[in-house]
Amino acid sequence: MTSRRYLFTSESVAEGHPDKICDRISDAIVDAYLTADPHSRVACETLCTTNLVVLAGEVRGPASVTRELIEDIARAAIKDVGYEQEGFHWKKAKVDIHIHAQSADIARGVDAVGNKDEGAGDQGIMFGYACRETEVLMPAPLHYAHAILKSLAEARHSGAEPGLGPDAKSQVTLLYEDGRPVKATSIVVSTQHAEKLSQDEVREIVRPHVVNTLPEGWMCPEDEFYVNPTGRFVIGGPDGDTGLTGRKIIVDTYGGASPHGGGAFSGKDPTKVDRSAAYACRYLAKNVVAAGLADRCTIQVSYAIGVSKPLSVYVETHGTGRVPEEKLSATLQKLVDLSPRGIREHLQLNRPIYARTAAYGHFGRAPEPDGGFSWEKLDLVEPLLRAV
């Protein structure tokens, strides 16, 4: 993205999207185990299709999290999203559970024993990113794509728009000039709706949620405003398309504006560096930008299974940095222990805070009093400034 004038597009999907239903169920199960024992190990995958939910994975946790409780959690998640449709209903769907004990070989590599610190749950690379395009230091196309769908969901849940269904997608294309977004050139919103509503009626329901979300004067031309382009979206959710955990990682991260490591977040406890280290990278990148040390910052870390220290910590400020990147990398590693244990303790991740992350992105959210979205805190700004 070195050109002075270009278009960039990001998409989002609503909480009722088939893949997001699966993320929500998997993360609700993670929360259940962490509530019962903060040191539980969970790797849970979910598949949803027409009136069928299949859960699979491996866990190590208390026996109080029974199969009956897991089924109840899955049904409650579906109900909370709003599925009471003939083809997918929280009460009528069959729930198959295939969850077993964690592999002893994996546990041996990860557990802290004797002088050995807790190791990474897998090998892999993780990325974090922050930029000055929005107040929450997130890429603007993704930020507005999330916000449009969140606004529609709030109207549906409140009863203000009873004709909307849970399944929806959005896509926002912005024009950039000199590296800064200046307006939308096209908006796409597809939302499930009641049989009685026409395409034009759905369009007018959606319009204010787009206009009110975008900055003033940013609305795209009318002929580039696409709402339900196929003309009809009555059958939706898992009845219309199979869902799987972890299939929306671009939506979960930075909308394509930054690299990502390829590992899904949902369904994994915080010993899995796919999740915890990606949160740590966002935390570091956001604090670098908030401290005024760069306008854009990408951070990559890498791990080997069973090894506690990261193999590499890479910092890139895309030509906007006020401090040498090598110095930033060294300083960040002194301020935050990037071992799996160090990340979990610094961000206090062994808490039931994950079901809420399953829709509208894991980043760019407000830190919450109970520890949710702790990786969005800016408490590293002052220590960073002092250190550099």
Side-chain angles (χ1 to χ4, degrees):
M1 296 187 199
T2 56
S3 63
R4 295 175 63 82
R5 182 180 172 90
Y6 57 87
L7 302 179
F8 192 79
T9 305
S10 294
E11 71 160 347
S12 181
V13 296
E15 62 198 44
H17 185 279
D19 296 329
K20 281 291 148 202
I21 283 281
C22 294
D23 287 345
R24 170 71 173 271
I25 293 170
S26 293
D27 274 338
I29 291 169
V30 172
D31 283 352
Y33 273 100
L34 293 178
T35 298
D37 178 357
H39 299 288
S40 295
R41 302 286 172 80
V42 186
C44 178
E45 311 291 343
T46 304
L47 176 148
C48 288
T49 186
T50 303
N51 274 331
L52 175 64
V53 178
V54 180
L55 305 173
E58 58 171 36
V59 299
R60 187 174 73 192
S64 59
V65 184
T66 63
R67 295 172 67 88
E68 291 76 19
L69 177 59
I70 290 172
E71 179 175 338
D72 289 344
I73 289 167
R75 294 189 187 280
I78 297 167
K79 182 180 182 181
D80 188 57
V81 170
Y83 275 109
E84 295 186 345
Q85 301 171 2
E86 182 179 350
F88 196 69
H89 195 293
W90 66 271
K91 187 182 293 185
K92 300 176 183 177
K94 181 182 179 184
V95 179
D96 284 346
I97 300 173
H98 304 276
I99 294 175
H100 57 83
Q102 183 187 47
S103 159
D105 289 345
I106 292 177
R108 179 181 180 184
V110 175
D111 289 347
V113 179
N115 294 325
K116 174 184 172 295
D117 194 10
E118 177 185 299
D122 202 352
Q123 72 175 50
I125 57 174
M126 298 84 208
F127 288 88
Y129 180 71
C131 63
R132 292 198 174 279
E133 294 178 17
T134 60
E135 290 184 358
V136 293
L137 306 184
M138 286 289 288
L142 180 67
H143 175 73
Y144 295 122
H146 284 325
I148 290 167
L149 293 183
K150 198 166 186 180
S151 179
L152 287 168
E154 289 169 354
R156 176 174 61 85
H157 282 297
S158 72
E161 296 294 352
L164 297 179
D167 194 359
K169 300 178 76 172
S170 65
Q171 186 169 284
V172 174
T173 301
L174 298 184
L175 170 65
Y176 282 73
E177 294 181 347
D178 296 326
R180 295 182 178 276
V182 296
K183 66 177 181 178
T185 60
S186 64
I187 303 288
V188 184
V189 179
S190 297
T191 180
Q192 191 180 13
H193 59 88
E195 178 90 42
K196 63 182 181 180
L197 292 177
S198 68
Q199 184 182 20
D200 287 341
E201 288 172 320
V202 176
R203 182 186 185 89
E204 294 314 308
I205 290 172
V206 169
R207 184 186 301 276
H209 295 277
V210 175
V211 173
N212 295 336
T213 293
L214 295 173
E216 186 175 356
W218 276 38
M219 183 61 179
C220 65
E222 188 64 19
D223 61 353
E224 293 291 333
F225 179 41
Y226 304 97
V227 177
N228 286 5
T230 64
R232 175 184 165 90
F233 189 1
V234 174
I235 299 172
D239 188 31
D241 190 13
T242 299
L244 289 169
T245 299
R247 282 206 302 198
K248 288 292 178 285
I249 50 180
I250 286 284
V251 172
D252 289 342
T253 54
Y254 305 100
S258 165
H260 67 81
F265 302 159
S266 291
K268 297 175 181 176
D269 74 78
T271 67
K272 277 69 171 176
V273 284
D274 275 340
R275 178 167 228 159
S276 57
Y279 290 171
C281 287
R282 162 64 179 174
Y283 172 66
L284 297 179
K286 184 178 182 181
N287 276 269
V288 166
V289 173
L293 301 178
D295 293 333
R296 293 172 59 206
C297 182
T298 300
I299 294 179
Q300 184 211 55
V301 296
S302 66
Y303 294 88
I305 188 169
V307 179
S308 62
K309 68 179 181 66
L311 306 184
S312 63
V313 179
Y314 168 75
V315 178
E316 169 65 59
T317 55
H318 309 278
T320 70
R322 283 90 176 171
V323 175
E325 290 154 341
E326 297 83 357
K327 184 173 184 179
L328 269 180
S329 176
T331 301
L332 292 171
Q333 291 179 73
K334 289 178 182 177
L335 293 175
V336 178
D337 177 359
L338 291 175
S339 69
R341 183 201 297 274
I343 292 170
R344 288 190 299 104
E345 291 180 351
H346 188 96
L347 297 178
Q348 297 182 289
L349 297 178
N350 284 95
R351 295 187 280 190
I353 55 175
Y354 297 106
R356 70 194 75 171
T357 68
Y360 313 118
H362 292 244
F363 308 124
R365 310 283 287 272
E368 297 179 346
D370 67 348
F373 303 103
S374 60
W375 48 93
E376 293 294 316
K377 289 182 177 181
L378 295 177
D379 56 356
L380 210 61
V381 168
E382 290 302 323
L384 254 176
L385 290 173
R386 287 195 299 270
V388 300

